[in-house]
Amino acid sequence: MESVATAIERLGGIADSAPVARLAEAFAGAGRQLALVGGPVRDAFLGRPVNDLDFTTDARPDEILDLVTPISDAQWDVGREFGTIAARIGGTTVEITTYRADSYDGASRKPVVEFGDSLEGDLVRRDFTVNAMALSLPDRRLVDPWGGFEHLMSRTITTPGPPEVSFGDDPLRMLRAARFSSQLGFTVAPETVAAMTELAPRIEIVSVERVSEELSKLLLTDDPAPGIRLLVDTGLAQLVLPEVPALRLERDEHAHHKDVYEHSLTVLSQAIDLEKSRGHSPSLVLRLAALLHDIGKPATRRIEAGGVVTFHHHDVVGAKLAAKRLKALRMPNDTIAAVSRLVELHLRFFGYTDGAWTDSAVRRYVRDAGDLLEWLHILTRADVTTRNVRKADRLSFAYDDLEERIAAIAEAEGLAAVRPELDGQRIMQVLGLSPGPEVGAAYKFLLDLRLDEGPLGEDEAERRLLEWWRSRS
């Protein structure tokens, strides 16, 4: 096991940097304590990039501001009432917070802010032991009263003090435990899991926005599945994302269907692998769609003759359920629309293997996906979880063929922006119309024509439009 001394050496580069050295010197000169705390210490010990520099001190906010002003390029309040002052020193942004000794009333996760007088007292109020370590400056002494380093080495998530107290004070920490288990690849301690299970209903006092933020952070980790499993197993998911545990459909010994819950987690993992291999940054839209793509199955499950289980129209039902859940989580409207659309379209490709699609069908596939086409490619490929190698290969080759056809048609026809040759203004001129429903109907006719037959040219489009208009009359 790595020694504490060796681990502290990793923090030397941060402590030796000019901005941190100047900060430490200023506080020491004023007789004040200063320590690098929390995430930066944890990440440095793990060899992960350190992006944020958070410090804690016994100085009060006004004194912090007085101490950093002479050595910084800019200063601003992050939350003076919470004891936090930020500054930019030599191009490096730092946040310094007065020791806290908060108390909670039990009815809200918002603490009664109280400033503390000791570093150890500040550390006990932090969420997990691996985040409750500090490097005292300038003496570079590790302050670790709760065994965070040992838990870091054993890859364990647990709380300083009893987890029932920690989660009772701030229930959002239960979601953070799930997120950190995925983000760090750590195991949550059994007593911590037990407290999460017991106190799961307390999550209801947390604002929807904070819940949504933590779920998003969880999904954007490299491997969200362990965190999702933890939320489901503790009952938290039933309260914040109930459609996911609902995927654990009851098994009938005479009925045959795959485990939808496990399938959905596999699709999510495969989508993330494809997202990376195709050179994309993590996409919340894609990952939500992968996790939720089959949430319409519980509502549409039917057992047919012979024990065959069907889920007819689960794509359409699932799209509506996804939109409803994401609205309840107050996700952005564009995220809701995109996820719902991907869920609705996720089965579209599987008709491709039944018979050759015409060019018209390919154009419509692209048109319906719009800006989501790349995510639809990934979701559809990830949705193949069969253990039948021959079937998996057949579907993969078929999708390769579809992507090649899309590329070929796009190159020949400019498929990225499929529009009729005539816009609304020209349609009104040709038909002598004023703005109204007839213009929309004419535009749809020309768009369908474009999708069915490809580019026509303006003259032919006008001729076909007039022919269509006369036939309507």
Side-chain angles (χ1 to χ4, degrees):
M1 180 182 291
E2 187 177 51
S3 69
V4 174
T6 302
I8 291 177
E9 286 180 9
R10 294 186 180 178
L11 288 163
I14 298 173
D16 287 338
S17 67
V20 175
R22 291 173 65 190
L23 190 66
E25 182 182 354
F27 277 74
R32 288 302 184 185
Q33 300 172 13
L34 183 74
L36 184 69
V37 69
V41 178
R42 178 200 70 217
D43 289 341
F45 282 175
L46 290 173
R48 294 163 59 94
V50 175
N51 299 313
D52 302 313
L53 293 181
D54 297 323
F55 297 86
T56 189
T57 179
D58 60 343
R60 295 303 194 252
D62 289 342
E63 188 177 1
I64 295 173
L65 191 57
D66 289 340
L67 289 172
V68 300
T69 297
I71 63 172
S72 60
D73 309 313
Q75 317 82 35
W76 60 96
D77 284 357
V78 174
R80 186 184 294 247
E81 69 275 20
F82 299 107
T84 302
I85 301 294
R88 187 172 60 247
I89 305 173
T92 298
T93 298
V94 300
E95 289 191 5
I96 308 129
T97 302
T98 303
Y99 295 157
R100 297 266 293 273
D102 301 338
S103 60
Y104 294 80
D105 62 11
S108 166
R109 66 172 292 268
K110 295 180 179 179
V112 177
V113 177
E114 297 177 1
F115 295 143
D117 297 312
S118 73
L119 178 55
E120 289 76 5
D122 179 87
L123 294 176
V124 73
R125 54 167 286 278
R126 294 178 180 264
D127 53 5
F128 305 111
T129 58
V130 295
N131 296 330
M133 297 181 288
L135 185 71
S136 177
L137 298 171
D139 57 334
R140 301 190 187 186
R141 174 176 57 90
L142 181 66
V143 181
D144 181 17
W146 303 101
F149 181 75
E150 288 76 9
H151 293 145
L152 206 60
M153 294 300 98
S154 64
R155 306 175 70 82
T156 302
I157 297 290
T158 191
T159 58
E164 296 82 3
V165 174
S166 180
F167 296 152
D169 285 346
D170 185 355
L172 186 66
R173 291 171 177 169
M174 295 186 287
L175 297 189
R176 287 170 60 82
R179 193 242 298 180
F180 277 121
S181 71
S182 282
Q183 183 175 313
L184 301 176
F186 286 12
T187 300
V188 179
E191 65 274 14
T192 308
V193 174
M196 292 170 66
T197 305
E198 178 185 351
L199 296 174
R202 289 276 294 163
I203 199 65
E204 294 180 343
I205 73 170
V206 180
S207 72
V208 170
E209 290 81 3
R210 296 306 299 274
V211 168
S212 181
E213 180 183 4
E214 275 302 323
L215 289 176
S216 297
K217 288 179 178 178
L218 167 58
L219 283 170
L220 291 172
T221 62
D222 284 344
D223 183 15
I228 294 169
R229 290 185 188 280
L230 183 59
L231 294 181
V232 170
D233 293 344
T234 58
L236 280 159
Q238 183 62 41
L239 299 168
V240 299
L241 199 61
E243 292 78 9
V244 173
L247 294 171
R248 297 184 297 182
L249 302 178
E250 292 182 9
R251 310 285 289 185
D252 186 317
E253 61 178 324
H254 302 297
H256 309 290
H257 65 82
K258 69 175 67 176
D259 187 320
V260 183
Y261 171 65
E262 291 297 333
H263 165 75
S264 296
L265 292 182
T266 300
V267 172
L268 175 59
S269 296
Q270 293 186 166
I272 291 171
D273 290 341
L274 286 167
E275 179 187 64
K276 292 176 182 176
S277 67
R278 291 168 76 116
H280 299 295
S281 300
S283 165
L284 181 61
V285 165
L286 172 64
R287 295 175 183 212
L288 280 168
L291 179 63
L292 304 179
H293 76 285
D294 273 348
I295 61 171
K297 282 190 171 181
T300 57
R301 181 174 182 258
R302 300 289 183 272
I303 301 177
E304 309 291 351
V308 176
V309 179
T310 62
F311 305 97
H312 295 309
H313 308 301
H314 76 267
D315 47 347
V316 177
V317 173
K320 294 177 180 177
L321 291 174
K324 183 178 179 181
R325 174 52 50 195
L326 297 183
K327 286 178 183 176
L329 287 170
R330 298 181 187 169
M331 291 277 187
N333 289 335
D334 55 350
T335 298
I336 296 171
V339 173
S340 176
R341 187 61 168 158
L342 285 171
V343 173
E344 182 181 1
L345 294 174
H346 83 273
L347 289 181
R348 180 74 64 87
F349 160 75
F350 291 98
Y352 189 83
T353 57
D354 296 337
W357 278 12
T358 63
D359 284 352
S360 172
V362 174
R363 293 187 194 101
R364 290 177 185 277
Y365 188 79
V366 174
R367 190 275 307 271
D368 291 346
D371 294 340
L372 301 172
L373 182 61
E374 175 64 2
W375 299 145
L376 183 58
H377 288 334
I378 292 175
L379 176 60
T380 303
R381 288 181 179 276
D383 198 20
V384 179
T385 61
T386 178
R387 295 180 181 178
N388 184 323
V389 176
R390 182 176 296 180
K391 180 179 179 181
D393 286 345
R394 178 171 59 85
L395 290 169
S396 178
F397 294 148
Y399 210 90
D400 288 344
D401 180 68
L402 175 58
E403 285 204 63
E404 289 170 4
R405 288 185 65 189
I406 289 172
I409 295 174
E411 182 177 0
E413 302 179 4
L415 193 56
V418 177
R419 299 185 181 88
E421 281 83 356
L422 309 182
D423 61 16
Q425 194 67 34
R426 183 60 183 151
I427 289 171
M428 288 190 287
Q429 291 176 355
V430 171
L431 299 182
L433 297 174
S434 299
E438 294 92 347
V439 180
Y443 187 91
K444 183 180 183 304
F445 165 74
L446 290 175
L447 178 58
D448 288 341
L449 203 61
R450 169 73 171 82
L451 290 168
D452 288 338
E453 301 182 23
L456 299 173
E458 283 194 29
D459 291 345
E460 178 63 11
E462 283 191 21
R463 186 187 71 78
R464 300 282 285 274
L465 175 63
L466 288 166
E467 183 179 276
W468 169 81
W469 183 249
R470 284 193 294 270
S471 70
R472 279 171 56 96
S473 301

